[in-house]
Amino acid sequence: MAKQERAVRTRQAVLVAAAEVIGERGYEAATIAEIIQRAQVTKGALYFHFPSKDALARAVIAEQTELLVPPPSESRMQDAIDFSHRVAEGLRTDPVLQAGTRIAVETTFDAEPLVPYQDWISIATGMFTEARDRGELLPAVNPAKAAEFFVAAYMGVQLFSLAASNRDDLHERIGQLWRHILPGLASPGAMSHLDPNGRRARQAA
Amino acid sequence: MAKQERAVRTRQAVLVAAAEVIGERGYEAATIAEIIQRAQVTKGALYFHFPSKDALARAVIAEQTELLVPPPSESRMQDAIDFSHRVAEGLRTDPVLQAGTRIAVETTFDAEPLVPYQDWISIATGMFTEARDRGELLPAVNPAKAAEFFVAAYMGVQLFSLAASNRDDLHERIGQLWRHILPGLASPGAMSHLDPNGRRARQAA
């Protein structure tokens, strides 16, 4: 195995272990020692890739967003809806995503608290901007403000679903979220073809 | 001081101390010992009123809701908007309310997690039902489902505002929340007279 390939594998092993431990214990209670043990790497190897627990947490969060962004289709609003359901499926099954939301909530009370939300807001702003350029949004909608609101509301809905059903009803609640906000976001022409429950993306994913 | 009056004062002192300590340290880290010290009551007096930390936390949450429900006006939707801004003002200034949201978020990961949301959902369901009966809602809206969505989204928005500005921008973000959801909730007739920023209730409160 080449040196570089080994480094990539080590980094990935640490990320998965960190996501699992943070997902199980929460960000504050998770220790570097347990992550090292779980990943079966040396302390030096972990610190080579991640100089601090904070850096590790950020990498876990960045990891979340990479695989879930859908390729552009003819409707960027439907892409945004589908994306939200893919994230929902990830929250139900993927320890990396589960860890990310715990980090976001728990570090809300600490310094630099917006970091965990930032990636999601960027993605949503991009999608809403493209949707606006294609005439899918109402003229009064500001894509950046709508994206901030959407990410905040989504965070609340997924926390509520976690409390209500351990996220069993998350897809349904995300559908409700879209049903409640689409009338204030989408143009009448777009409304007619949008499915708040997603384009079966979650089955296909 | 009559015995009953003393009991009421003791209970109130414990509630305020519990709210402060939970608000400062979070629910998990708050100890009965510190609450006793802060309230300047005996351990026996505290346990007489609240048999467990859990019971104390629930009382803190119930305390939140009592003073903030506005009397019915000619528009129950505007009452709901004003209520949400009064809660926002409480979240900015009142340790009892601040503690309540920490309890809701932190116990999301534990047993009986919906308890902290339940009072808010009941209040919102009642207001939305009365608004529907007065023709202020769109016919397709289900008041109970809308209330659950609203409470969940509100939780997310206030967490986001806490992260973004230590809740300095909470009124503005709650206004954005209403601007985004009113088109899917309110009838056209109601829309024309509703103010998403609240009827200056927060200045008057």
Side-chain angles (χ1 to χ4, degrees):
Chain A
M1 189 155 56
K3 197 173 173 186
Q4 197 185 349
E5 192 188 341
R6 205 158 52 225
V8 169
R9 289 199 187 188
T10 300
R11 186 177 185 281
Q12 195 57 29
V14 170
L15 275 180
V16 170
E20 286 175 2
V21 173
I22 294 169
E24 289 164 18
R25 312 218 181 284
Y27 174 70
E28 290 303 333
T31 63
I32 294 287
E34 187 172 356
I35 293 166
I36 286 169
Q37 192 187 25
R38 184 83 61 107
Q40 305 215 311
V41 299
T42 64
K43 195 170 173 178
L46 183 141
Y47 280 108
F48 172 76
H49 291 286
F50 307 103
S52 65
K53 186 173 153 189
D54 184 59
L56 185 49
R58 287 178 197 212
V60 167
I61 293 163
E63 187 86 344
Q64 295 178 323
T65 58
E66 280 177 29
L67 296 170
L68 295 169
V69 181
S73 76
E74 70 287 352
S75 167
R76 281 314 256 168
M77 275 314 278
Q78 189 64 56
D79 291 344
I81 294 169
D82 293 355
F83 174 61
S84 73
H85 282 286
R86 292 171 76 164
V87 173
E89 193 53 35
L91 286 171
R92 288 163 43 81
T93 57
D94 179 353
V96 179
L97 278 160
Q98 287 162 357
T101 62
R102 286 202 73 152
I103 293 167
V105 169
E106 295 186 17
T107 57
T108 292
F109 302 101
D110 300 333
E112 282 202 86
L114 271 190
V115 170
Y117 295 99
Q118 224 51 274
D119 286 343
W120 303 108
I121 293 170
S122 297
I123 293 171
T125 301
M127 286 180 158
F128 289 169
T129 302
E130 289 167 38
R132 186 196 55 188
D133 295 346
R134 298 186 197 188
E136 292 191 280
L137 294 193
L138 292 167
V141 174
N142 175 318
K145 279 195 192 299
E148 279 199 359
F149 162 68
F150 177 75
V151 168
Y154 190 100
M155 172 61 85
V157 168
Q158 72 86 14
L159 277 174
F160 191 89
S161 171
L162 178 62
S165 70
N166 200 26
R167 297 202 180 99
D168 275 354
D169 63 10
L170 184 53
H171 285 297
E172 189 196 324
R173 289 189 187 279
I174 296 300
Q176 284 284 347
L177 166 62
W178 284 110
R179 264 185 287 280
H180 280 100
I181 70 172
L182 280 175
L185 283 182
S187 63
M191 279 300 279
S192 63
H193 67 68
L194 294 174
D195 180 355
N197 296 320
R199 229 172 351 199
R200 308 288 93 192
R202 53 188 192 271
Q203 267 95 344
Chain B
M1 187 155 58
K3 197 173 172 184
Q4 197 185 346
E5 192 188 340
R6 207 158 49 225
V8 169
R9 289 198 187 188
T10 299
R11 186 177 186 280
Q12 195 58 28
V14 171
L15 275 180
V16 170
E20 286 176 1
V21 173
I22 294 170
E24 290 164 18
R25 312 217 181 286
Y27 175 69
E28 290 302 333
T31 63
I32 293 288
E34 186 173 358
I35 293 165
I36 286 169
Q37 192 187 24
R38 184 82 62 107
Q40 305 214 312
V41 299
T42 64
K43 194 170 175 178
L46 183 141
Y47 280 107
F48 172 75
H49 291 285
F50 306 104
S52 66
K53 186 173 154 188
D54 184 58
L56 184 50
R58 286 179 198 212
V60 168
I61 294 163
E63 187 85 345
Q64 295 178 322
T65 59
E66 279 176 31
L67 296 170
L68 295 169
V69 181
S73 76
E74 71 286 353
S75 167
R76 282 313 256 168
M77 275 314 277
Q78 190 63 56
D79 291 345
I81 294 169
D82 293 355
F83 174 62
S84 72
H85 282 286
R86 292 171 77 163
V87 173
E89 194 52 35
L91 286 171
R92 289 161 44 80
T93 56
D94 179 353
V96 179
L97 278 160
Q98 287 163 357
T101 62
R102 287 202 73 152
I103 293 166
V105 169
E106 294 186 17
T107 57
T108 292
F109 301 102
D110 300 333
E112 280 202 88
L114 271 191
V115 170
Y117 294 99
Q118 224 51 276
D119 285 342
W120 303 108
I121 293 171
S122 297
I123 292 171
T125 301
M127 286 180 159
F128 289 169
T129 302
E130 289 167 38
R132 185 196 56 189
D133 294 347
R134 298 186 196 187
E136 293 191 280
L137 294 193
L138 292 167
V141 174
N142 175 319
K145 280 194 192 299
E148 279 198 359
F149 161 69
F150 177 75
V151 168
Y154 191 101
M155 172 61 84
V157 168
Q158 72 85 14
L159 277 175
F160 190 90
S161 171
L162 179 63
S165 70
N166 199 28
R167 297 201 181 100
D168 275 354
D169 63 10
L170 184 52
H171 285 296
E172 188 195 324
R173 289 189 187 279
I174 296 301
Q176 284 283 348
L177 165 62
W178 283 111
R179 264 185 286 280
H180 280 100
I181 70 173
L182 279 174
L185 283 182
S187 62
M191 278 300 278
S192 63
H193 67 68
L194 294 174
D195 179 356
N197 295 320
R199 230 172 350 199
R200 307 289 92 193
R202 55 188 190 272
Q203 267 95 345

